[in-house]
Amino acid sequence: MRVIHIITRMIIGGAQENTLFNCVDLRREYGDEVLLVTGPAMGPEGDLLTQGRAGDLAVNVVPELVRAISPAKDWVALRKLRQIIRDFKPDVVHTHSAKGGLLGRRAAFVESVPATVHTVHGAPFHPYQPALARAFFRMCETRAAKWCDRLISVADAMTDLLVRAKVADREKFVTIYSGMDVEPFIHADEKRDATRRSLGILPNHVVIGKIARLFHLKGHDDLITAAPSIVAACPDVRFLLVGDGVLRSSLQCRIDSLGLGSHFIFTGLVPPNVVPSMIGAMDTLVHTSFREGLARALPQALIAGRPVVSYDIDGAREVAVDHETGFLVRPGDTAQLSQRLIELVADDVARHRMGTTGKARFTERFRHETMTREIRKLYEQLLR
C-alpha cells in the first residue's frame, strides 16, 4: 500500500508515538510505502523525530501546519497537503490530531483518496472550554467526520463521547488501542534500585508516581491537596512527578508552603526511553488528569506490574479496572483519592496482586505490532 499519515506536530507525546510506530511498522512488517506529513514540532515537549527512531521514514514538514487557528496559514497548509497527496498518490490517508485531522481529511476528500481514516486520540472539545469554543470545535469535528471513511478511537469511551455529541454514527467508529513498545516496561524492574538511588529514594520509601506535563487540567494540584493526609498516614511515602511545564514553579511553591518539600521529587522533562525506568522506581502510579483519551502512562504502569489510581475520565476505566488493576476515583474528589492511595501504599500484597493482574491483561493488547496489525486490516477492508 501507499499510505500518508498526517499529524499537526511530532512532539514527544502519546499520539505522536502511536503515529510513528504505525508508520515504521507498516514499512518494516508489510513493505508499505509510507510518508509522514507533519507541521513543525513547536513546544516545550521536545521533537520526537530528532531521536532517530524514525529511521529512513520519509517525512515532509509543512511549516504552515500549526496547532493554533490561523486562516492564512491554514489555507496554505491545505493547498500544500492537496499537492502532496497528488504527488504521492496514496491508497490511504490516515490523519491524527485536531488541525491535522481537519485539514488532512479535507485534502484527502477533495483529492478523492480511496480510503481516509482518522484516529481520535482525544476529543478537541471538552467541558473546560468556553461554550463558544466547544461548539466551534464540535462543529469542525462533525464536518470533518463526513470527509473520512472510518474513525479509530483509542478507547471505547472516545466513541461514546463523540456519538453523544452527534459527531458521527456509532457504526463509523472502531476501537484500536494505542500501541507502544512494551518490552522496556516488562523489564522496568531491572533498573529499579539504580534509578531510586539516583533520585534519592531510600529502600523503605513507597513511591507514588505521576507522569504528565505540569500543565492545567493535569490534576497536579489535586494530588498536592491529597498529599498531607497521605503523608500523615504513611510518612515513608514519596511523590515522583515526571514531566515539566509552565506550572512547575507554582506547584513547587505550594508544596513548600505545606512543608512537604522533602516528600516530592521533580524529574523535569525526560526522554521516552527513560520513562520505563521511572515507572520501575515507582510502587504505584496516579493519574489525576481531568481529560485525556486514554493516557499511555496507565497501561505502561500496568505492563510494568504497577497498580494505578486514576480519575474516572474518558478511557481510564478500560485499563484501571476498579479493585482489579487499581482504583477509580471521582474526578476532583481529593478525599477519595487520598484514601485509595493510602490503601495501596500500606498494602504491598494488594499492590503486587493488582500489578500482576494488569501486566497479564494488557501487555499483548498494547503492543504496537498489535495496533498496526488491526489498523492495516482496517485499511484492507476499506479498500476492498
Side-chain angles (χ1 to χ4, degrees):
M1 294 184 191
R2 295 176 65 82
V3 183
I4 293 180
H5 277 265
I6 300 174
I7 189 167
T8 308
R9 52 183 188 154
M10 284 298 287
I11 58 170
I12 296 173
Q16 292 75 17
E17 288 205 354
N18 166 306
T19 303
L20 185 57
F21 274 126
N22 196 194
C23 290
V24 173
D25 285 350
L26 287 172
R27 297 180 74 244
R28 184 182 62 232
E29 303 296 330
Y30 302 95
D32 295 333
E33 295 185 56
V34 182
L35 173 63
L36 174 61
V37 180
T38 179
M42 296 182 295
E45 299 87 352
D47 186 347
L48 187 61
L49 293 178
T50 60
Q51 298 181 356
R53 292 166 54 191
D56 58 354
L57 173 68
V59 179
N60 191 328
V61 177
V62 177
E64 295 81 9
L65 183 56
V66 295
R67 190 182 187 195
I69 295 172
S70 173
K73 288 185 177 181
D74 295 345
W75 175 249
V76 174
L78 178 60
R79 291 179 59 191
K80 288 188 175 183
L81 290 174
R82 290 185 61 186
Q83 187 61 54
I84 290 168
I85 289 171
R86 284 196 293 269
D87 293 341
F88 191 80
K89 297 180 176 59
D91 300 299
V92 180
V93 165
H94 188 157
T95 65
H96 310 261
S97 65
K99 179 68 77 66
L102 181 67
L103 298 180
R105 279 179 281 179
R106 181 60 185 172
F109 178 79
V110 174
E111 296 300 327
S112 301
V113 173
T116 304
V117 175
H118 176 68
T119 292
V120 182
H121 299 277
F125 53 89
H126 54 85
Y128 305 100
Q129 290 169 315
L132 192 60
R134 187 163 66 250
F136 173 74
F137 287 119
R138 178 179 165 184
M139 179 192 71
C140 289
E141 283 301 304
T142 303
R143 176 66 62 86
K146 301 181 190 306
W147 299 331
C148 67
D149 300 292
R150 197 61 60 89
L151 293 156
I152 297 175
S153 295
V154 297
D156 292 336
M158 299 314 305
T159 297
D160 294 340
L161 188 156
L162 294 178
V163 169
R164 285 196 303 268
K166 301 188 184 323
V167 167
D169 294 334
R170 189 171 294 275
E171 293 72 25
K172 199 160 191 172
F173 292 88
V174 60
T175 296
I176 300 177
Y177 288 104
S178 184
M180 62 188 74
D181 182 4
V182 302
E183 294 302 323
F185 298 97
I186 292 172
H187 302 287
D189 279 335
E190 293 177 0
K191 297 182 179 179
R192 176 179 170 84
D193 292 341
T195 303
R196 286 170 68 100
R197 282 196 300 272
S198 71
L199 295 169
I201 298 169
L202 301 180
N204 60 302
H205 290 158
V206 180
V207 178
I208 297 171
K210 179 170 171 58
I211 303 174
R213 287 184 300 146
L214 307 182
F215 202 69
H216 307 285
L217 299 182
K218 294 296 185 181
H220 293 87
D221 265 323
D222 282 18
L223 180 60
I224 294 170
T225 298
S229 56
I230 299 171
V231 171
C234 310
D236 287 337
V237 73
R238 293 295 183 271
F239 299 91
L240 179 62
L241 304 185
V242 181
D244 209 347
V246 297
L247 299 182
R248 178 161 182 169
S249 295
S250 62
L251 294 173
Q252 185 74 68
C253 287
R254 186 162 177 236
I255 290 166
D256 292 342
S257 72
L258 294 170
L260 297 176
S262 63
H263 289 271
F264 277 83
I265 302 165
F266 288 82
T267 69
L269 185 67
V270 302
N273 66 319
V274 176
V275 171
S277 61
M278 291 295 166
I279 292 178
M282 302 172 189
D283 296 288
T284 186
L285 181 130
V286 63
H287 181 64
T288 50
S289 291
F290 285 87
R291 62 176 296 265
E292 205 146 0
L294 177 52
R296 292 167 77 80
L298 291 172
Q300 286 170 349
L302 291 167
I303 292 166
R306 303 298 188 268
V308 297
V309 177
S310 175
Y311 275 172
D312 189 4
I313 54 119
D314 298 335
R317 62 173 46 224
E318 294 170 42
V319 289
V321 185
D322 210 22
H323 295 275
E324 293 184 30
T325 62
F327 295 112
L328 287 170
V329 175
R330 291 182 298 274
D333 190 339
T334 55
Q336 187 186 30
L337 177 67
S338 174
Q339 176 189 340
R340 291 308 195 191
L341 286 171
I342 289 171
E343 287 181 43
L344 280 179
V345 170
D347 191 343
D348 60 342
V349 174
R351 291 200 307 271
H352 182 264
R353 172 175 54 80
M354 291 180 177
T356 300
T357 299
K359 188 169 194 169
R361 187 175 297 188
F362 296 115
T363 299
E364 292 305 315
R365 185 179 300 182
F366 283 91
R367 284 187 184 276
H368 63 86
E369 297 91 345
T370 303
M371 171 194 71
T372 300
R373 184 171 63 249
E374 293 301 312
I375 288 175
R376 199 174 190 281
K377 282 181 184 177
L378 177 61
Y379 294 168
E380 292 172 351
Q381 291 168 7
L382 294 175
L383 290 173
R384 280 199 299 268

